[in-house]
Amino acid sequence: MSDIQVLTTGEAAKFCGVNFRTVIRWIERGRLKAYKLPGRGDHRIQTQDFINFLRENQMPVPPELVGANNRILIIEDQPEMAAAIKRTLKRAGYEVEVAKDGFVAGTLLMRHDPALVTLDLKMPGIDGYEVLTFIREHQDHNQVKVLVISAETKEGLSRALSSGADDILAKPFDNSELLSKVTILIGEGQPNIATIA
């Protein structure tokens, strides 16, 4: 994962292939979120804000920045399952939040800004399919990787994939399989072709 947390305007300019003055104009016009250092007034850009800017403007995200976000949101209504997933991911070094239902998930998506969501499909109220649709239809979240973890039928898991899930993991699962899928989805940013046995 990337250790780069903050960029200068010059570094951001190199990643975009533009002059640093162009980056300053983006900041001054409110297109790129940044802050000024006290005294000198030089701008600094949080890595995640820069990645969001690139994605919003359909610009390629440099590979060295891809791993900067290690946040995962677990959307799971069963406390025992949520705790097991959280424990496994935290031990592997991920920053983890848990939403017990689809409503809370919407709030945490905005606040936590995860790179990946693990999503149970069978939940009371707003189910996993509705959450998946919300993620894929909203520009602020449509780049988030979604790993469906569910005891749903093969047909239900297929529906999740066709609705935009990046991968699936059937319950019960092995922790090493969970970590492998997470690493593939956000660790290297490689697409995974999911198959349903």
Side-chain angles (χ1 to χ4, degrees), residues 10 34 46 70-71 74 78 81 84 87-88 102 107 116 118:
Q46 295 281 337
N70 72 339
R71 293 182 296 276
I74 300 167
Q78 296 176 359
M81 180 59 69
R87 185 174 45 252
T88 300
T107 303
L116 181 133
T118 68

Side-chain angles (χ1 to χ4, degrees), residues 45-74:
I45 306 156
Q46 295 281 337
T47 303
Q48 193 56 48
D49 291 333
F50 184 61
I51 291 170
N52 292 342
F53 169 80
L54 294 174
R55 288 179 176 155
E56 287 166 11
N57 291 283
Q58 285 111 30
M59 297 169 72
V61 177
E64 52 268 52
L65 299 180
V66 171
N69 184 348
N70 72 339
R71 293 182 296 276
I72 297 175
L73 175 60
I74 300 167

Side-chain angles (χ1 to χ4, degrees), residues 2 7 25 32 46 61 63 87 92 104 111 117 186 188:
S2 173
L7 300 170
R25 275 195 298 275
L32 177 57
Q46 295 281 337
V61 177
R87 185 174 45 252
V104 173
R111 193 178 82 212
V117 167
I186 66 172
E188 283 108 41

